[in-house]
Structures are given as C-alpha cells and as structure tokens.
Amino acid sequence: MEKVTLNLEGMNCASCALSIEKALKKVDGVETANVNLVSEKATIVGIGLKADVLIQTVKNAGYKASLDNIEKIQDNTKQNTKIYQVNGMSCAACAINVEKALKKVPGVITASVNIATEKASVTIDPNIVSERDMAKAVQMAGYELLINQDKQSLNQDDSSQKLKKAKLKMIWAWVITGPLSVLMIAHMSAIAIPYFSEISLIASFIVIFIVGKSLIKSGFTAIVHKSFSMDVLIFLGVCASYLSGILSALGGQIADYSAVGAMIMGFYLIGQYLEAKAKGKASEAIRKLISMSPKTANLVEKDGSVVSIDAKNLVVGDVVLVKPSQQIPADGIIVEGNTTVDESMVTGEFLPKTKNVGDRVIGSCINQSGAIKVRVTGVGEDTFLAQMVKLVEQAMGTKRKLSWIYSI
C-alpha cells in the first residue's frame, strides 16, 4: 500500500477541494483521498498507485498537480484510526489549525477535527509516527492533544462542569459590564459621572483580564504560534479598547473605549456559554450509551458459588449468572438455561428474542424471562456497546462530504 502526496494549484474554495477528492477517489486502487485547501496538498492512500495517473486525474478535473512524495505503508490503517481529545480550540479556524498541524506530521494519513466535540479523528501509520510526535506538533500550533485520556472521557460530569464554568463567567462579566454600560451611555449623553475613567478602567480590567483571562491567554498563544483564529480578533479588539482607556487616563487626546472592550468580552462569553450548552447536547448520545453499561455482575466461581463483582473486573472466559430483569454484564455465549432477551437498544426491535444454549448475547441488553449462565467473550473495548460508542465518536468527529455541492 502506498501513500502519495501531491502539490496542488488552482484551488480557491472548498468546492474545488471536494471536486479533486471526488475525481481522485474514482481512480482504481485509491482507498482514501484527502485534499487540504490551506496547505494545497492532496494525500492519497491505496494499492498500486501511479503518480502520473493521479496527476493526470487532477489535471482532467481542471487543476494543476505535481508529485510531492511517495511512501510505502503497511495495510493496517483501518486498525490505527484513533480519536483524541483536543483542548484550547474555540472556533472553526482552530480546528483547521489543528488539522493542518497533524497532517504535517510524517506518518499521519488522515486527520479530521470536530470543533463541536473537541475531538480529533486521526489515521496513522504506527511504524512511522508516534502519538508523542502528534502531541508535540499540536502543541507547537498552540493547542493540546491528549494522548492518554480515558477512552470514555466524554462524560456528563465534564460537560456539566464546563457548562457551569461558562455560565458563571458570563454572569460575572455582565454583573460588571451591565452597570458599566449604563454609566458609559450616561457619560456619552453629557451627564457628568465623577471618576468615570477610573471606574471604567478598573471594571474593564476585571472583565477582560480576570473573567476573560482564558481568551487573553489563548489569543496571545495563537499570535505567538502564528495560528490566527477568532480568539486573536477578540484579543486584539479588547486590548485595543482597553489601551485607549489607559492613554486617555494619561492625558492623551483619545476617546476612552475601555468599557467597549468589556462589552465585547461580555458578548464573547455569552457565545462561549451557548457553545458549551450546544456541545453538551452534541455528546448526549455517547453519554446515554455509556450509561447503559451495567455496574455489577454475578460471577460464578469454580465451586459453583456466586459473588457480586464490579463488571469492569470481568475477563474473557468468566461465567456470570444473569437473573430475570437484570442486564447482561458483557458480551458472551449462553452455557446454561434459556430465556428471552430485550435487544431493542441495539436493533430497535421491540419484540424480545428467544435465546438458548449456544446463542450469543450482547452486553447491556436485558434478560427477561429466565435465569441464564453466560460465558464472557468480550469485555472493555471489545464489547458491542463499546464499539457503538466508538462509531458514534468517529461519526461526530468526521466531516460529512457535502455531496449536494456537486449537483449545483
């Protein structure tokens, strides 16, 4: 299997990139084709690829192409697609910056970042790249890639905590900015407000540099790493506004707009709160799947006794007793008894299925009519439920192809 990288010319919008991707995917042997509009490169992975054929395909689509690199890779990319948590992003431009940083790392085949879930779906060749290399590249871009996070780190506590924090910041910002805005309007209406400049500078400093310190930090970091995003625009706006207040207080012939900077920060924090709320809803499907996992299991010991243990401690080969109305703790095969199992959470079918000795059962489904003994065949990430969670995360972290563009 080969990975071919092409330099592209002539693209000027996302539709151009999609047109090239569509054309490349029709070439025999091509498995994946990804075009980066920012870096003007195309990455093609497949078997028996010929660079001249790919270049000609791009030319036939109306663009220019030249060979950049050809690499031999092992045919194991599908098994090395992982999802990582990315911290520090605030807008779509941040997601593009992270994608750009990841795709520059040798051995990274594809990278897709979803700003809504703050997840990066990365397909790598483990023989070329290490996770530490990717984390370092993302850090150099001004963000953080977590390579050792819990596989089910997207939980309700994290989401609710972020939402509470964003709400608290928004409230504090407007508790200060609201009265300050009234004073500013009164001052602009020629009503004398004693010590207005001093009040404006102090109140604005609290809102901009204390309540909104995370934006100031991320904006400054983005400028240092030359990765411009929405945070940079807000950072420049509020800092310029506050600077006008300082110059005015020092006697400069300039209007005091420090209160305007506080208002900009206040509106930004409202957006952050709404975004945190939307992200919580976006991850609700995963949280519901995770919450379906049973917490305990009735382990059958070698002497026939039954003990209750944490379901996380089950291993392949264990035999568990599942009584009527209990959840099956893990994927397995029935070794004793017969029953009916409610698998509606998996299949959507409301009618229970009859299960006998030798039949497979899915973890987290509900045993209904009879007691059964199940030999565990899959635990942890190997369970059907864990695979469902993984697929949902991949779907949420992957961009959907806008096929309707082609019909316009």
Side-chain angles (χ1 to χ4, degrees), residues 370-382:
I372 55 174
K373 289 184 180 180
V374 177
R375 186 178 301 281
V376 176
T377 59
V379 295
E381 294 184 0
D382 296 328

Side-chain angles (χ1 to χ4, degrees), residues 127-185:
N127 297 315
I128 300 176
V129 66
S130 69
E131 292 180 322
R132 192 174 300 278
D133 294 333
M134 295 190 298
K136 185 177 180 180
V138 173
Q139 184 180 11
M140 291 298 294
Y143 307 93
E144 181 184 18
L145 182 76
L146 301 182
I147 59 177
N148 292 319
Q149 83 273 19
D150 185 356
K151 295 300 182 182
Q152 294 182 345
S153 59
L154 190 61
N155 55 66
Q156 190 169 5
D157 292 338
D158 290 341
S159 299
S160 61
Q161 190 68 23
K162 289 181 180 179
L163 183 61
K164 288 179 181 178
K165 190 175 180 180
K167 184 177 182 180
L168 187 62
K169 285 183 178 181
M170 179 188 66
I171 292 174
W172 272 111
W174 282 101
V175 164
I176 300 172
T177 304
L180 181 61
S181 301
V182 174
L183 292 177
M184 182 183 68
I185 294 173

Side-chain angles (χ1 to χ4, degrees), residues 3-260:
K3 172 187 172 184
V4 180
T5 305
L6 302 179
N7 295 315
L8 304 176
E9 294 181 24
M11 296 189 299
N12 52 30
C13 64
S15 180
C16 297
L18 291 173
S19 298
I20 295 175
E21 282 189 6
K22 184 179 179 182
L24 288 172
K25 288 178 179 178
K26 291 181 179 180
V27 177
D28 292 338
V30 173
E31 291 194 0
T32 62
N34 291 278
V35 177
N36 191 313
L37 178 62
V38 177
S39 62
E40 294 187 326
K41 289 183 180 293
T43 303
I44 306 100
V45 177
I47 300 174
L49 299 180
K50 296 181 179 180
D52 55 343
V53 174
L54 297 174
I55 292 173
Q56 186 61 45
T57 300
V58 175
K59 289 182 179 180
N60 293 339
Y63 306 90
K64 295 181 180 179
S66 60
L67 180 63
D68 180 64
N69 189 29
I70 299 179
E71 298 178 15
K72 290 287 185 180
I73 61 175
Q74 291 186 352
D75 189 12
N76 58 357
T77 57
K78 292 183 179 179
Q79 292 151 10
N80 290 282
T81 299
K82 297 184 180 180
I83 297 175
Y84 302 93
Q85 178 75 31
V86 181
N87 293 334
M89 297 189 298
S90 61
C91 63
C94 296
I96 293 174
N97 290 335
V98 175
E99 281 188 10
K100 185 177 178 181
L102 286 170
K103 288 178 179 179
K104 286 182 177 179
V105 179
V108 173
I109 300 169
T110 62
S112 178
V113 180
N114 190 308
I115 182 62
T117 59
E118 297 182 337
K119 297 281 185 179
S121 178
V122 188
T123 302
I124 65 172
D125 182 348
N127 297 315
I128 300 176
V129 66
S130 69
E131 292 180 322
R132 192 174 300 278
D133 294 333
M134 295 190 298
K136 185 177 180 180
V138 173
Q139 184 180 11
M140 291 298 294
Y143 307 93
E144 181 184 18
L145 182 76
L146 301 182
I147 59 177
N148 292 319
Q149 83 273 19
D150 185 356
K151 295 300 182 182
Q152 294 182 345
S153 59
L154 190 61
N155 55 66
Q156 190 169 5
D157 292 338
D158 290 341
S159 299
S160 61
Q161 190 68 23
K162 289 181 180 179
L163 183 61
K164 288 179 181 178
K165 190 175 180 180
K167 184 177 182 180
L168 187 62
K169 285 183 178 181
M170 179 188 66
I171 292 174
W172 272 111
W174 282 101
V175 164
I176 300 172
T177 304
L180 181 61
S181 301
V182 174
L183 292 177
M184 182 183 68
I185 294 173
H187 182 73
M188 294 173 63
S189 302
I191 299 175
I193 306 295
Y195 305 106
F196 174 75
S197 295
E198 290 78 5
I199 294 173
S200 179
L201 281 174
I202 295 172
S204 298
F205 181 85
I206 295 173
V207 174
I208 295 172
F209 297 102
I210 297 179
V211 180
K213 65 179 180 181
S214 60
L215 175 129
I216 300 299
K217 181 180 178 181
S218 63
F220 180 76
T221 303
I223 291 176
V224 170
H225 292 91
K226 300 179 181 179
S227 58
F228 300 103
S229 62
M230 183 184 69
D231 285 357
V232 174
L233 298 178
I234 304 297
F235 172 81
L236 295 175
V238 297
C239 288
S241 299
Y242 191 78
L243 180 61
S244 70
I246 295 176
L247 295 176
S248 178
L250 294 175
Q253 299 299 315
I254 186 173
D256 182 0
Y257 290 104
S258 56
V260 175

Side-chain angles (χ1 to χ4, degrees), residues 322-337:
V322 187
K323 299 178 181 178
S325 300
Q326 287 185 341
Q327 282 184 292
I328 300 169
D331 294 359
I333 298 175
I334 297 177
V335 294
E336 182 179 320

